[in-house]
Amino acid sequence: MTKELRSSLLLLLTAAIWGLAFVAQRIGMDYIGAFTFNAIRFALGSLSLIPVIYFVEGSNRRKGIVEEQGEKDKKKIFKYGLIAGSVLFTAAALQQVGLIYTTAGKAGFITSLYIVLVPILGLFIKQKSNGFIWVGAIVAAIGLYFLSINEDFTIQFGDLLQLIGAFFWATHILVIGHFASKVNTLKLSSAQFATCSVLSLMVALVFEDIQIANIISAAVPILYGGLMSVGVAYTLQVVAQRHAKPSHAAIALSTEAVFAALGGAVLLGEIMSFRGYFGAFLMLVGMLISQGDNIISRNRKKATINE
């Protein structure tokens, strides 16, 4: 098995874990509030990365690679973690609350719009765009219309929250992209997850009734959402993308929406209308089209090297 094939399979596994997390998040809401769920979930996610950080640092030391980290670097990680964590908190809160009012399948597809939104929002920070992005965005928007807009031209409240959340997920990716080259990415991730957890807990203490018995009842979805979706999936993504082409990675990860829909149908009995499935299909096509330029560029580069 080649490294690229292995990476693609790991990315598909990552997408499956993330997609099924929508199911876990929805089940968790049967027992505890949205912010309580996020507080515990991201606390577990932050803690789960600590052994990964130590493992990577130990591996680097054995290879003779030593990362010097002074007080200035620690302050950067704290500052960047606070900023990224605040954006993550907003995105995760909108997603979790939105799941109260919509299905896991629809939430998965609408959230995945970040794949199209990232390059569009990137225009505001002078990142280049291309025709594939705009065609993909139009197709995805048409798909969103069939998936979420009712015949009286209104959108369900839960779908609206997911749509707003998609903009924050896209913003979060741009923020992480800006900070990732400046500090250790694993430590940055742990810091942002911790920030998201603290902010979620603060809101939960004010607006939600936190009971240990209910948290224990929601233990399985919480553990899945925290350890699998955050800790394991993030680690798999980092490992896989070492040998995966960015365009292939984006396509593989976009299947997260498909896994969310399948999980919702099989585990929760969620069924969409034909109109909804058609809209979901168009959204997926739009996401894939938006990656067209990356695929063509990669193929041209490969052809040039072969020549």
Side-chain angles (χ1 to χ4, degrees):
M1 184 183 293
T2 64
K3 289 182 178 179
E4 284 194 5
L5 178 58
R6 187 184 298 111
S7 294
S8 296
L9 293 175
L10 286 177
L11 286 168
L12 280 174
L13 178 58
T14 301
I17 293 173
W18 281 343
L20 293 176
F22 284 94
V23 177
Q25 289 170 242
R26 204 159 192 272
I27 293 174
M29 304 288 281
D30 293 336
Y31 305 97
I32 57 178
F35 292 96
T36 302
F37 186 93
N38 278 347
I40 303 173
R41 173 194 180 192
F42 283 101
L44 289 173
S46 178
L47 293 172
S48 70
L49 286 181
I50 293 177
V52 178
I53 292 170
Y54 277 105
F55 173 79
V56 171
E57 288 184 340
S59 177
N60 287 340
R61 279 194 295 270
R62 286 191 293 273
K63 295 176 182 177
I65 304 171
V66 180
E67 179 186 348
E68 295 184 7
Q69 184 175 321
E71 200 63 35
K72 187 176 180 181
D73 292 316
K74 292 179 181 178
K75 288 181 179 179
K76 279 185 179 180
I77 290 173
F78 177 80
K79 177 183 175 182
Y80 297 161
L82 191 62
I83 295 171
S86 298
V87 179
L88 176 62
F89 161 75
T90 306
L94 287 165
Q95 182 184 85
Q96 195 65 31
V97 174
L99 277 166
I100 300 174
Y101 306 99
T102 192
T103 65
K106 292 175 73 174
F109 275 99
I110 298 173
T111 297
S112 294
L113 277 175
Y114 71 82
I115 294 172
V116 178
L117 293 173
V118 166
I120 293 176
L121 293 180
L123 293 174
F124 293 98
I125 53 175
K126 298 180 180 180
Q127 291 184 357
K128 292 182 179 180
S129 187
N130 56 72
F132 286 99
I133 294 299
W134 297 110
V135 173
I138 292 171
V139 174
I142 295 172
L144 179 64
Y145 168 79
F146 284 103
L147 180 68
S148 299
I149 306 298
N150 298 323
E151 293 179 358
D152 57 353
F153 295 100
T154 60
I155 185 171
Q156 293 183 357
F157 180 62
D159 293 350
L160 178 61
L161 292 181
Q162 300 297 342
L163 180 58
I164 298 172
F167 280 90
F168 280 96
W169 287 117
T171 302
H172 177 255
I173 290 174
L174 292 173
V175 169
I176 290 296
H178 180 69
F179 291 149
S181 61
K182 303 176 187 296
V183 293
N184 182 292
T185 52
L186 284 172
K187 293 178 180 178
L188 172 61
S189 293
S190 184
Q192 67 159 339
F193 294 152
T195 299
C196 182
S197 174
V198 171
L199 292 175
S200 298
L201 180 60
M202 290 170 61
V203 177
L205 289 171
V206 175
F207 295 103
E208 296 177 352
D209 181 21
I210 303 176
Q211 296 184 14
I212 300 299
N214 292 340
I215 293 175
I216 294 174
S217 298
V220 173
I222 289 175
L223 288 172
Y224 184 92
L227 298 179
M228 292 296 293
S229 179
V230 179
V232 173
Y234 175 82
T235 304
L236 287 175
Q237 182 191 15
V238 171
V239 171
Q241 288 201 236
R242 289 178 181 174
H243 303 291
K245 298 175 182 178
S247 56
H248 292 180
I251 291 172
L253 293 176
S254 69
T255 59
E256 170 190 354
V258 178
F259 286 111
L262 289 174
V266 174
L267 300 176
L268 301 177
E270 296 176 350
I271 299 175
M272 287 190 286
S273 63
F274 174 78
R275 176 189 175 95
Y277 282 115
F278 179 64
F281 171 74
L282 287 180
M283 291 179 72
L284 185 60
V285 170
M287 294 173 208
L288 296 178
I289 290 175
S290 70
Q291 298 300 313
D293 188 61
N294 289 332
I295 296 172
I296 292 174
S297 297
R298 282 282 176 176
N299 289 336
R300 283 177 179 171
K301 185 177 180 180
K302 186 176 180 180
T304 301
I305 293 173
N306 291 336
E307 289 174 359

